[in-house]
Amino acid sequence: MLFEELGKIKRTSIMTSIILLALGIVILMCPEQYIDSLVSVLGYGMVTLAVVLILDFISGKKALINYIYLTGALILLLVGIGVLVYENIVLLIGIVFGLVLIVVSLNRIVNTWMYVRRAEREGWWVLILLAVLLLACGLLILINPWWRETAQLFDVIGAALLITSVVSIVRLLIIWPITGEESED
């Protein structure tokens, strides 16, 4: 049972890294004239994901963590509607993405310090440094006043998504090292 759950977490981490990598590449490759369409797709994607999460809450268990997920889904729904409704949404996208990066990086720093270091994994300090790099990216996006155009902000967000996916892959390799199955003779 425990190993099945760990396998699910590993698969989810791999898929999240692949999706972030693909999204970062799409954002970086998107020509400037299609950025408005990309923003609309982002808004519709957020609304769709929020509706799926809300429906999952309605049909699932009612534990405390599910209420936390519901709160996140409602916030995601509001941000998605904001992206679709407002014309100049650059500031909101930058603030939300910067805050998400900061929260994720702080979570990774705490988890690495509390669990990976205590498990005496080699390279736990690399995970701390990579999490600090993500924190710096989030702060840079959040407080940098020079990115007022959507194209410039999306280039920075695309690069940050690429960095995030690489950090996630390195984190996965350090936490769950890939080992070959040894046959017993």
Side-chain angles (χ1 to χ4, degrees):
M1 181 76 166
L2 176 65
F3 292 112
E4 291 175 11
E5 291 300 317
L6 288 175
K8 288 179 187 177
I9 292 172
K10 188 175 184 179
R11 283 190 301 274
T12 302
S13 297
I14 292 170
M15 286 308 299
T16 303
S17 297
I18 291 171
I19 290 170
L20 289 177
L21 184 68
L23 186 60
I25 290 171
V26 166
I27 288 175
L28 284 174
M29 291 179 53
C30 184
E32 192 170 336
Q33 63 264 25
Y34 296 118
I35 287 184
D36 291 335
S37 299
L38 186 63
V39 170
S40 296
V41 167
L42 180 68
Y44 286 122
M46 284 193 271
V47 169
T48 303
L49 179 62
V51 168
V52 168
L53 291 173
I54 291 169
L55 292 176
D56 186 44
F57 171 78
I58 291 171
S59 66
K61 298 177 189 175
K62 303 297 188 275
L64 177 62
I65 191 70
N66 298 102
Y67 285 102
I68 294 170
Y69 289 152
L70 175 66
T71 305
L74 292 173
I75 292 170
L76 184 66
L77 180 67
L78 291 174
V79 171
I81 290 171
V83 167
L84 292 173
V85 170
Y86 294 113
E87 279 297 315
N88 191 3
I89 201 68
V90 177
L91 183 63
L92 180 64
I93 291 173
I95 289 172
V96 168
F97 190 75
L99 288 175
V100 166
L101 258 180
I102 289 170
V103 168
V104 166
S105 63
L106 290 175
N107 184 24
R108 286 187 179 179
I109 289 171
V110 169
N111 285 338
T112 300
W113 186 260
M114 295 294 292
Y115 302 117
V116 180
R117 182 183 63 90
R118 287 185 181 173
E120 297 178 358
R121 288 282 190 189
E122 291 182 22
W124 65 268
W125 57 272
V126 173
L127 295 178
I128 295 279
L129 291 176
L130 291 174
V132 169
L133 176 69
L134 285 180
L135 181 67
C137 287
L139 287 173
L140 185 67
I141 291 172
L142 193 62
I143 63 174
N144 196 339
W146 297 291
W147 295 312
R148 294 291 182 219
E149 294 182 20
T150 310
Q152 293 172 338
L153 180 65
F154 267 46
D155 287 342
V156 173
I157 288 175
L161 283 173
L162 288 176
I163 292 170
T164 303
S165 65
V166 169
V167 167
S168 295
I169 291 169
V170 170
R171 184 172 196 266
L172 184 67
L173 290 175
I174 290 175
I175 292 176
W176 279 302
I178 299 172
T179 58
E181 293 185 26
E182 298 178 17
S183 61
E184 295 181 23
D185 293 326

